[in-house]
Amino acid sequence: MTDTDTRSQPKKQGLTRRQRRRVSRGAQYAVFVAAVLAFAFSADWGRLQNQFLQLPIAEQMFPDVITLALKNTVLYTLSGFVVGLGLGIVIALMRLSSVAPYRWVAGIYIEIFRGLPALLIFIFVGVGVPLAFPDVQYPGGTYGKVAVALGLVSAAYMAETIRAGIQAVPKGQMEAARSLGFSPARAMISIIIPQAFRIILPPLTNELVLLFKDSSLVLFLGVTLEERELSKFGNDLASTTANSTPILVAGLCYLLVTVPLGFVVRRMESRSQEAIR
């Protein structure tokens, strides 16, 4: 074969980068579909329906699952968020203080309450504090206990988030406020913290979602029938009916709140990123 014939033959080329990405994406989709089909055909749907999808049992839960359990869950979450936010601001300011003991106390608090499981904090608030201080009464009874427990859990995380938000505000803002005659405390409250909250609003909303799920630990405080939240309400009915349908319904009620909140968080994060650009 001559050199001319060799040059006239088309050269074999491999896949381009775009084609390789398409092949890889197609393979991933194929694996996903195969896994879904394997699960769908191997699961015993009859037993699952009998254990989790009994409509007569689900109907018995309404309207109490909404008017009682979901309402209490929302109240517990909001009260814990308010306590945690207030305490978190104080801890964050102590963390940024020029006074060393304040920084030490704030650092110890954050490390302890971020490291302990939330369940231990609930047991400490519900059992330990009444044993150590018999005369101490929580305002609001169980609602007060839950607010304190959830507040202690969330304050450590919120404090770090708030501290990061304050430090993200340009230092020139404080200098400009001081040049206008603001005291450091007034400048922090009027100028710095409002700007910091615009920065940290998405992670704070995400913390609200986490608190909403952590409210399920209320059942370890020994609540009454009128104080039950979603997990306790579903667990009690599941024990009574010997069926898991109430637990599934309670889980769906959690999603009624957490999914919209998650969408709000994503929207706020996208807007903040657009503002940075």
Side-chain angles (χ1 to χ4, degrees):
M1 183 179 292
T2 63
D3 294 340
T4 304
D5 294 334
T6 303
R7 287 193 297 268
S8 64
Q9 290 181 354
K11 295 181 179 180
K12 295 182 180 180
Q13 296 181 350
L15 297 176
T16 64
R17 182 178 299 179
R18 180 177 297 179
Q19 289 173 336
R20 288 197 298 269
R21 285 201 300 265
R22 289 178 179 175
V23 172
S24 176
R25 190 179 298 114
Q28 293 174 22
Y29 284 136
V31 171
F32 174 76
V33 172
V36 171
L37 292 176
F39 171 77
F41 286 108
S42 62
D44 190 339
W45 294 104
R47 295 181 64 183
L48 286 175
Q49 181 178 2
N50 183 62
Q51 185 65 25
F52 290 97
L53 296 174
Q54 291 295 319
L55 293 181
I57 297 177
E59 292 174 355
Q60 297 176 11
M61 302 178 65
F62 292 90
D64 288 346
V65 67
I66 301 295
T67 59
L68 177 67
L70 182 58
K71 180 197 72 173
N72 283 336
T73 302
V74 172
L75 289 177
Y76 293 147
T77 303
L78 293 179
S79 61
F81 184 80
V82 170
V83 173
L85 182 61
L87 184 57
I89 292 174
V90 174
I91 297 297
L93 294 177
M94 292 175 64
R95 186 81 164 174
L96 295 171
S97 174
S98 59
V99 181
Y102 289 166
R103 295 197 305 271
W104 299 338
V105 171
I108 293 172
Y109 176 90
I110 290 171
E111 293 302 325
I112 290 177
F113 283 92
R114 283 199 310 181
L116 287 176
L119 175 59
L120 293 183
I121 298 175
F122 269 80
I123 294 175
F124 170 74
V125 171
V127 179
V129 172
L131 288 177
F133 307 97
D135 297 331
V136 174
Q137 298 292 330
Y138 290 99
T142 301
Y143 293 95
K145 291 181 183 178
V146 176
V148 171
L150 288 177
L152 291 174
V153 171
S154 62
Y157 297 94
M158 289 189 189
E160 287 294 89
T161 302
I162 295 169
R163 179 184 64 83
I166 291 174
Q167 291 179 328
V169 176
K171 295 182 179 180
Q173 296 293 318
M174 175 62 79
E175 296 172 355
R178 293 301 306 277
S179 66
L180 293 175
F182 284 69
S183 65
R186 185 182 174 191
M188 179 64 69
I189 295 173
S190 303
I191 306 297
I192 305 302
I193 291 181
Q195 295 186 59
F197 267 83
R198 284 198 293 269
I199 299 172
I200 64 175
L201 194 56
L204 283 183
T205 308
N206 194 45
E207 182 64 28
L208 181 63
V209 175
L210 296 176
L211 274 183
F212 188 77
K213 294 185 292 183
D214 284 342
S215 64
S216 61
L217 297 173
V218 172
L219 62 91
F220 291 98
L221 296 180
V223 296
T224 64
L225 293 177
E226 296 300 320
E227 297 170 341
R228 291 178 297 175
E229 40 72 51
L230 283 171
S231 293
K232 177 65 173 174
F233 186 85
N235 186 61
D236 287 349
L237 286 180
S239 300
T240 303
T241 60
N243 192 274
S244 299
T245 300
I247 296 177
L248 177 63
V249 174
L252 294 176
C253 289
Y254 277 105
L255 293 179
L256 287 176
V257 177
T258 57
V259 170
L261 280 177
F263 175 77
V264 170
V265 170
R266 290 191 296 272
R267 290 288 296 174
M268 288 190 298
E269 288 177 346
S270 63
R271 286 185 178 182
S272 63
Q273 290 176 357
E274 292 175 359
I276 293 175
R277 293 173 185 173

